[in-house]
């Protein structure tokens, strides 16, 4: 994805993607169901946003089994953390400059 006006990253324009990154910024990992509940998103909507962030290499996936049930956990990558923190810094500066 491209960097938009003022340096804000287009990957974080969506409420769901911004929510995913925010949740992962304060949690080491979260599974699909926790993210779904936290963001009040449908399976398909959440999955498409997770794939987009994974494509950008901002998040990564860890698949395992809990008992016999598959469990998919997500975590923020180093690149994702850097991009997200930069996005937040730019937002903060934008808000401060318009006071």
């Amino acid at each position: 994805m491209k960097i938009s006006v003022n340096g804000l990253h287009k990957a974080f324009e969506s409420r769901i993607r911004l929510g995913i990154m925010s949740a992962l910024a304060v949690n080491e990992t979260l599974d699909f169901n926790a993210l779904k509940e936290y963001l009040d998103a449908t399976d398909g909507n959440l999955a498409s946003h997770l794939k987009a962030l994974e494509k950008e290499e901002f998040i990564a996936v860890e698949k395992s089994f809990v008992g016999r049930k598959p469990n998919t956990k997500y975590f923020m990558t180093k690149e994702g953390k850097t991009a997200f923190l930069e996005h937040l810094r730019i937002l903060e500066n934008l808000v401060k400059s318009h006071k």
Side-chain angles (χ1 to χ4, degrees):
M1 290 196 179
K2 298 178 183 174
I3 302 296
S4 66
V5 177
N6 298 324
L8 295 174
H9 204 291
K10 287 210 170 268
F12 308 130
E13 285 182 355
S14 159
R15 174 188 75 84
I16 300 292
R17 290 183 198 165
L18 189 61
I20 292 167
M21 295 301 286
S22 297
L24 292 176
V26 296
N27 293 282
E28 193 171 315
T29 64
L30 286 171
D31 65 24
F32 186 88
N33 288 329
L35 283 167
K36 180 181 162 186
E37 183 179 321
Y38 178 73
L39 299 169
D40 193 27
T42 63
D43 286 359
N45 192 12
L46 180 58
S48 67
H49 287 293
L50 287 166
K51 284 180 187 174
L53 290 171
E54 190 179 356
K55 183 179 176 185
E56 290 289 327
E57 298 182 355
F58 289 163
I59 64 169
V61 181
E62 180 181 291
K63 295 187 180 221
S64 64
F65 283 88
V66 176
R68 293 181 168 214
K69 291 185 177 185
N71 183 269
T72 305
K73 290 185 180 178
Y74 298 89
F75 60 94
M76 191 182 299
T77 64
K78 182 179 176 185
E79 295 82 5
K81 185 172 187 171
T82 300
F84 186 62
L85 291 175
E86 178 66 9
H87 184 80
L88 292 179
R89 186 189 65 74
I90 292 166
L91 278 175
E92 184 177 9
N93 289 340
L94 187 62
V95 169
K96 285 178 181 177
S97 72
H98 285 90
K99 279 188 174 181

